[in-house]
Amino acid sequence: MASPATGDSDQVLVEANGSTRTLVLNRPKQLNALSSAMVTGLLKCFTSYEEENTVKLLIVKGKGRAFCAGGDVAEVAQSINNDTWKYGADFFHTEFLLNYIIATYSKPQVSLLTGIVMGGGAGVSIHGRFRVATGNTVFAMPETALGLFPDIGASYFLSRLPGFYGEYVGLTGARLDGAEMLACGLATHFVPLNRMPLLEESLKKVDTSDPFAICGIIDQFSQQPSVKGSSAMNRMEIINRCFSKRTVEEIISALEQEAPSVADKLVTAAIQSLRKASPTSLKISLASVSVKHFQNIILIREGRLQTVGECLRREYRMVCHVMRGDFSRDFFEGCRAILVDKDRNPKWMPRTLDQVHDGVVAKYFSKVDDPQWEDLNLPTRSSHGRRIVPKL
């Protein structure tokens, strides 16, 4: 019998079965988009269950046709417009703390990734030990189309994908299926959709926190699917050649040079996605996920050199600047065009990549100029005298 995770909200439900706790994301009409109440409820659950000796395994799943379609950024944008940017800062502070607790959790977590897994949904799953994709899984990080950037520690896990696949996924918002998630490492297992209920029932009977035992149970239901012939995983030579470039402009130019000689929808779709995305979002996203290439900036590429905690601290600085609209209001325009008015015609400012200068990009990585603002303070994590390290 499921019960609310907290007394004031039923948006996260908890099912108790022996030593297993199943956390159910329960906003099916909103595709389980993470509200402030959900993030707070999940954080309370993860924190309390880590201390309870009787709880040995956590399962996370979504109700309905989505695991989680991301954070409820429309709610965040509306609250900022009605009140103050600090509402957004508080939301992301709690969410990033939750991401960090999951990434360094001392007990195994199994995320059952049925349906849509995007943005914040990746944050509450990809950092966990076991990520089980299936036949209807759809994964994406679509933030650049919203005037945001891949956050929730994405600069940590995207930068650790094969080659420059993380740059491709993070910049274009490309959608991956379950087989592709497994092939690139975002998923640890693939279980056919009709066997997912059987896996869940088996996991609810376990009485151990031994990750090898848990892995053995999942293995009994797993398959090794082949990726489709059209998959980007079969185009890694092109992806590495293009997305290894130093700037977004050079990436687009490389893709355009490939287009005439490669009759490939992937190249055309990538160019179109990059052309439609926020120029500011593209530039700060590439810097965050990449290796150092100018000054001291490193989002997807900076993430290659950093711990998950360092990535989240840097992303928190970035998201606070975005919430304040310090250098661009693209986040609010993207929410308007994509999520509110749904005309899908955002008016980005600046309009072009060449108008987004390196000096402005660098400012997103700086501290916020507000006496009441503080950097993201993450706790030191340890278990039985052992410092906990991320599992990715």
Side-chain angles (χ1 to χ4, degrees):
M1 183 72 178
S3 58
T6 58
D8 56 350
S9 174
D10 64 353
Q11 295 180 6
V12 177
L13 303 177
V14 178
E15 299 174 1
N17 299 92
S19 59
T20 299
R21 297 294 180 271
T22 303
L23 308 182
V24 184
L25 308 180
N26 187 39
R27 292 183 78 201
K29 291 183 179 179
Q30 294 80 20
L31 301 178
N32 299 320
L34 295 174
S35 66
S36 179
M38 292 174 78
V39 172
T40 301
L42 287 169
L43 181 59
K44 288 180 179 179
C45 287
F46 274 93
T47 302
S48 63
Y49 292 147
E50 191 165 35
E51 300 299 322
E52 291 186 25
N53 293 331
T54 56
V55 177
K56 299 180 180 179
L57 170 68
L58 267 62
I59 299 172
V60 182
K61 68 176 187 176
K63 184 175 182 180
R65 64 190 183 93
F67 173 79
C68 174
D72 195 340
V73 292
E75 176 191 65
V76 171
Q78 181 178 0
S79 297
I80 292 173
N81 285 328
N82 293 341
D83 191 5
T84 170
W85 69 273
K86 291 182 179 178
Y87 176 90
D90 290 342
F91 175 88
F92 286 103
H93 186 284
T94 306
E95 184 180 27
F96 289 8
L97 176 58
L98 171 64
N99 300 148
Y100 181 69
I101 295 297
I102 290 174
T104 57
Y105 211 59
S106 61
K107 297 178 182 180
Q109 171 190 342
V110 179
S111 298
L112 304 178
L113 305 178
T114 55
I116 299 167
V117 185
M118 295 184 181
V124 298
S125 58
I126 303 301
H127 291 297
R129 189 174 294 272
F130 300 110
R131 294 92 61 190
V132 183
T134 187
N136 70 346
T137 305
V138 179
F139 173 92
M141 298 298 293
E143 286 81 3
T144 60
L146 280 170
L148 197 53
F149 62 91
D151 58 338
I152 50 84
S155 61
Y156 180 80
F157 61 74
L158 289 179
S159 65
R160 283 156 176 80
L161 299 185
F164 292 87
Y165 196 67
E167 279 87 341
Y168 164 70
V169 172
L171 294 178
T172 67
R175 297 190 173 195
L176 313 184
D177 61 22
E180 290 171 311
M181 286 188 72
L182 181 67
C184 74
L186 287 169
T188 59
H189 296 80
F190 180 96
V191 172
L193 190 58
N194 62 353
R195 304 203 76 192
M196 290 288 267
L198 300 174
L199 168 62
E200 185 177 349
E201 290 306 309
S202 294
L203 290 171
K204 288 178 179 178
K205 297 174 183 176
V206 304
D207 188 29
T208 180
S209 287
D210 181 358
F212 295 100
I214 304 299
C215 185
I217 292 172
I218 304 174
D219 285 344
Q220 295 175 25
F221 298 88
S222 298
Q223 290 183 357
Q224 195 74 26
S226 299
V227 297
K228 298 175 182 176
S230 59
S231 169
M233 291 301 299
N234 294 324
R235 308 291 191 279
M236 284 303 297
E237 185 177 346
I238 294 174
I239 286 174
N240 289 339
R241 192 158 55 237
C242 297
F243 285 86
S244 61
K245 301 302 182 184
R246 191 180 67 89
T247 67
V248 179
E249 291 95 328
E250 290 172 356
I251 289 172
I252 294 175
S253 177
L255 287 166
E256 289 174 339
Q257 290 176 31
E258 295 281 349
S261 58
V262 180
D264 200 314
K265 292 182 179 179
L266 179 143
V267 173
T268 303
I271 294 171
Q272 291 175 345
S273 296
L274 294 171
R275 291 292 187 194
K276 290 179 180 178
S278 158
T280 299
S281 293
L282 289 173
K283 287 211 169 182
I284 65 174
S285 297
L286 181 62
S288 186
V289 94
S290 303
V291 291
K292 289 184 180 179
H293 60 277
F294 65 91
Q295 296 183 7
N296 291 315
I297 296 176
I298 47 173
L299 184 46
I300 296 172
R301 290 185 172 163
E302 178 142 332
R304 284 193 170 93
L305 308 175
Q306 297 184 324
T307 66
V308 66
E310 290 170 332
C311 287
L312 286 165
R313 288 188 189 96
R314 172 174 37 73
E315 291 174 16
Y316 182 67
R317 287 188 180 187
M318 297 171 66
V319 83
C320 285
H321 284 299
V322 171
M323 295 302 104
R324 285 165 56 93
D326 283 338
F327 316 114
S328 171
R329 299 280 298 177
D330 279 2
F331 168 65
F332 301 96
E333 173 62 11
C335 287
R336 180 206 64 77
I338 307 301
L339 302 176
V340 180
D341 297 341
K342 299 183 180 180
D343 58 46
R344 307 192 71 82
N345 187 31
K347 308 298 183 185
W348 305 125
M349 289 297 293
R351 295 175 55 193
T352 61
L353 288 164
D354 64 303
Q355 294 175 327
V356 184
H357 302 298
D358 288 353
V360 173
V361 175
K363 290 179 180 179
Y364 278 90
F365 297 80
S366 65
K367 292 184 177 182
V368 172
D369 186 15
D370 186 309
Q372 296 182 335
W373 179 88
E374 293 182 355
D375 264 324
L376 182 65
N377 185 24
L378 298 172
T380 300
R381 304 272 292 148
S382 61
S383 176
H384 308 297
R386 172 182 62 86
R387 187 182 180 91
I388 298 175
V389 297
K391 292 170 287 297
L392 258 171

